[in-house]
Amino acid sequence: LTAPIPSATAEITTWPSAAAGAGRRPAMPLRAMARAALLAAAVMAHGARAEESATVRGRINIPEKFAQGLERGRGLAAAKVLLDGGLSMALPTSDGYFALSGVPLGAHYLQVVHPELVFDPVRVEVAEPAAKGAGPKTTAYIADLEYGRGSKLKYPLGLAPTGKFQYLEKRDEFNIFSAFKSPTMLISLFSFGAMYFLPKLQPMLEEEKKRAEQEMKDRAPRDGDSPPPAMQ
């Protein structure tokens, strides 16, 4: 008879705490789901960027006439391939092959840098794929600073040097005949020739003058001579 009777108020006060505990438990799965969604979005964005970028490939070839004057280790090993002034760089293999990955859509400026050889710059254009699922379309042209595009190049690229750098100006060999090409030398020679030949020509001119005067005297009618008969 003396056993305690359960209090109704105690039962009522315990329910809110249980409901509050039950409401906090799903918070951890929601955070995990949010993180997973963000990670999936990042992966999808990275995949989309990867689909919009291309890999520019090509090969560098150094002909024998340019390779003869190069020191050992100054051939393909000294070459670098730069894209857009150095935003991306690649080194060629021993066979000259190179690849620049992650090239975005648009026009790009490609250079082959070498300490002794000169290469023409290349304009590379990466366009959107023509069909769904295909890779971006890559075309290349000789870079023209005035018009942008020069002659079209084959792709993958095949690049070769067009000349050598001349760090020191080559001195012309001495040629004695080159002195006669100078206007000053020609005027001097003409003046010396006139000074040498004019005194020798003077006696000849005087003798010719005397001879002409003598002939005039011989042809003139002498005093007392009858004039020639008139023409009837």
Side-chain angles (χ1 to χ4, degrees):
L1 296 175
T2 60
I5 299 174
S7 175
T9 58
E11 292 180 0
I12 294 172
T13 55
T14 56
W15 283 107
S17 61
R24 286 194 300 267
R25 287 173 187 172
M28 292 301 296
L30 288 176
R31 291 179 182 177
M33 290 176 63
R35 291 178 182 176
L38 290 175
L39 181 60
V43 172
M44 292 177 64
H46 179 75
R49 287 194 297 267
E51 290 180 358
E52 294 178 355
S53 63
T55 300
V56 178
R57 304 178 185 275
R59 184 183 184 186
I60 301 173
N61 180 36
I62 300 179
E64 186 65 25
K65 65 178 181 178
F66 293 108
Q68 288 178 354
L70 299 178
E71 299 179 1
R72 187 174 182 181
R74 303 283 286 182
L76 291 172
K80 296 179 181 179
V81 183
L82 303 181
L83 190 71
D84 295 333
L87 294 178
S88 181
M89 186 188 72
L91 299 177
T93 63
S94 59
D95 295 333
Y97 291 98
F98 65 88
L100 291 163
S101 59
V103 180
L105 300 179
H108 304 276
Y109 189 74
L110 186 143
Q111 296 171 280
V112 178
V113 180
H114 194 278
E116 298 185 34
L117 301 178
V118 180
F119 289 81
D120 289 334
V122 178
R123 176 187 174 95
V124 178
E125 296 182 359
V126 180
E128 295 181 357
K132 187 176 180 180
K137 182 180 179 181
T138 304
T139 53
Y141 306 85
I142 293 291
D144 193 321
L145 298 179
E146 183 176 358
Y147 299 103
R149 288 182 180 179
S151 57
K152 190 174 182 179
L153 301 176
K154 293 182 179 180
Y155 187 82
L157 296 170
L159 305 177
T162 56
K164 285 188 176 183
F165 288 110
Q166 295 292 340
Y167 294 103
L168 298 176
E169 185 177 356
K170 187 177 181 180
R171 184 175 297 177
D172 295 333
E173 298 180 358
F174 176 75
N175 186 2
I176 191 171
F177 294 103
S178 62
F180 295 98
K181 298 179 181 179
S182 173
T184 306
M185 179 62 69
L186 294 176
I187 294 174
S188 302
L189 289 176
F190 179 78
S191 302
F192 283 117
M195 293 173 60
Y196 179 78
F197 288 107
L198 281 179
K200 293 188 176 183
L201 291 175
Q202 190 66 27
M204 299 174 62
L205 294 175
E206 292 292 338
E207 185 179 353
E208 186 67 25
K209 185 178 180 180
K210 290 179 180 180
R211 186 182 302 165
E213 291 177 354
Q214 185 65 34
E215 289 181 357
M216 291 293 293
K217 289 179 180 181
D218 294 342
R219 292 177 182 177
R222 298 178 181 178
D223 296 339
D225 293 346
S226 58
M231 296 292 293
Q232 297 294 332

